[in-house]
Amino acid sequence: MFSRSAGVESFIGHPKLPKAPLCKVEPPGGDPMMTEYVVMHVLRFHRDMPGYAVAQANREWRRTTIVRPEQRRVGFLGFGMMAKAPALVLKSLGFKVSAWVRNRGWRMTFRSFTAPANLSRSFSRPTSPFVCCR
């Protein structure tokens, strides 16, 4: 059996699940819809869209300090096939990108951290978003 969905919960407990290995299939270069979703939410956070929505609902004009993408770091918790494409898009928009990975078994194009102790250091800025693509 092959699954391209985000989870296997609907398969594991199904009474008609055959006694066969279950594999997750990922398209080469990651999933374009995952890339769009991640970039959309990082930009939503970056531009404080929830804050603007609240101000609009309260009929308030709100002035905010503009933060440039170069001033913000986006961290990825894990950096597999699904995270690489959104990281590249965000980097092309000017964001600083870093990732926490379990091992350095392959070449990284971004700042990366491996040890569990470095997990908090890699995401130490509370104003920066982090992403977990699985």
Side-chain angles (χ1 to χ4, degrees):
M1 278 188 80
F2 294 92
S3 169
R4 206 174 151 215
S5 63
V8 296
E9 291 80 15
S10 60
F11 297 107
I12 298 299
H14 198 280
K16 293 185 178 182
L17 178 70
K19 301 283 185 209
L22 182 62
C23 303
K24 181 168 174 57
V25 178
E26 294 177 337
D31 185 345
M33 289 176 57
M34 173 67 84
T35 300
E36 293 168 5
Y37 185 82
V38 169
V39 171
M40 173 186 70
H41 282 288
V42 168
L43 292 175
R44 184 175 175 269
F45 172 86
H46 174 65
R47 290 291 177 208
D48 190 23
M49 296 312 291
Y52 280 110
V54 169
Q56 182 183 27
N58 293 330
R59 297 180 177 197
E60 297 172 355
W61 179 256
R62 184 175 166 233
R63 289 185 185 260
T64 61
T65 304
I66 301 296
V67 178
R68 299 290 310 144
E70 300 82 18
Q71 297 171 284
R72 196 176 303 274
R73 178 170 301 282
V74 179
F76 282 81
L77 184 59
F79 198 71
M81 186 182 302
M82 299 301 270
K84 196 169 204 173
L88 289 170
V89 170
L90 292 167
K91 185 176 180 181
S92 76
L93 293 173
F95 289 95
K96 297 175 195 169
V97 176
S98 63
W100 183 85
V101 295
R102 287 191 181 163
N103 59 52
R104 290 185 191 259
W106 42 276
R107 188 173 168 217
M108 284 293 292
T109 54
F110 304 103
R111 182 178 177 193
S112 64
F113 304 91
T114 54
N118 290 332
L119 184 59
S120 62
R121 188 171 63 131
S122 57
F123 304 116
S124 61
R125 294 182 180 175
T127 58
S128 297
F130 70 93
V131 180
C132 180
C133 294
R134 293 203 57 179

